[in-house]
Amino acid sequence: MRCVVLRGAGRHFQAGADLSFLHHLRTVSPEENFDFSRRTVAAIEGLRHFPRPTLALIHGGCFGGGVGIAAACDIAIAAEDAVFALTEVRWGITPAPVIPLLVDRLGSRALGRLALTGERFGAAEALRIGVVHEICPAADLDGASGRIVENILMAAPEAVAMTKRLIAEAVETPETPAFRDRIAT
């Protein structure tokens, strides 16, 4: 496997969580709620630290945890008519499992506004704040992804995997002597 491409199977990349399940989460014990959050974090972190490049192709709606999934991918492309929102606060919960990743990717100011209001935003705003890297016409989403995948396939797989690990390590331990020693080898 050289890369993973994620795309919604229907009209949306991710239309949001099951609202009846979210209502159920409000009624369970703190331990059960934490367990669900822990599994969500594990899924996002698994995607983020997957050893091969990951590419999200966003079309339709990208709501709640879908924004976290897009941000967890190495590369994200959105159709120009895609719509995004962190709507959890509207349902009486928080986007806690994806907040650390989104702070890293978007910064606290952009995330604060979007996570506190639950407001929708379009692909142009998603590009401006760093949720996605590129916008294209909806009909060209496959073409845009094909160009990215083609470039990934031209690169040496182990060099790509090592580069991805080094980027993750640099985020976690920037400018430390141990990191500089590691990249000097």
Side-chain angles (χ1 to χ4, degrees):
M1 178 184 307
R2 300 285 302 274
C3 70
V4 171
V5 179
L6 297 176
R7 183 178 191 156
R11 290 183 18 218
H12 303 287
F13 177 75
Q14 207 273 2
D18 177 341
L19 296 180
S20 63
F21 181 73
L22 291 182
H23 177 71
H24 168 73
L25 275 181
R26 293 172 60 193
T27 66
V28 300
S29 70
E31 293 79 23
E32 287 178 79
N33 199 316
F34 179 74
D35 183 58
F36 175 75
S37 291
R38 185 184 52 74
R39 286 183 282 137
T40 302
V41 168
I44 295 289
E45 287 300 303
L47 182 58
R48 187 170 164 227
H49 295 293
F50 191 76
R52 300 293 180 211
T54 55
L55 170 61
L57 303 179
I58 301 153
H59 64 285
C62 182
F63 303 123
V67 177
I69 291 169
C73 287
D74 298 307
I75 303 162
I77 302 173
E80 61 192 359
D81 60 353
V83 179
F84 300 78
L86 292 162
T87 56
E88 288 86 345
V89 294
R90 294 188 178 186
W91 308 110
I93 61 171
T94 69
V98 296
I99 284 178
L101 173 64
L102 293 176
V103 166
D104 177 55
R105 297 291 204 248
L106 314 179
S108 62
R109 293 284 290 168
L111 177 61
R113 175 179 175 159
L114 299 172
L116 295 173
T117 64
E119 68 189 85
R120 289 182 177 212
F121 56 100
E125 180 68 1
L127 177 65
R128 188 186 74 75
I129 64 174
V131 174
V132 301
H133 296 92
E134 182 179 334
I135 299 171
C136 67
D140 192 38
L141 203 52
D142 289 330
S145 69
R147 290 185 294 279
I148 300 289
V149 170
E150 184 178 309
N151 280 298
I152 291 169
L153 295 178
M154 287 192 294
E158 294 312 313
V160 168
M162 177 56 80
T163 300
K164 186 170 176 172
R165 277 194 304 274
L166 288 170
I167 291 168
E169 289 175 20
V171 168
E172 293 169 11
T173 58
E175 297 300 315
T176 63
F179 180 75
R180 283 194 300 275
D181 289 346
R182 178 158 163 65
I183 61 172
T185 59

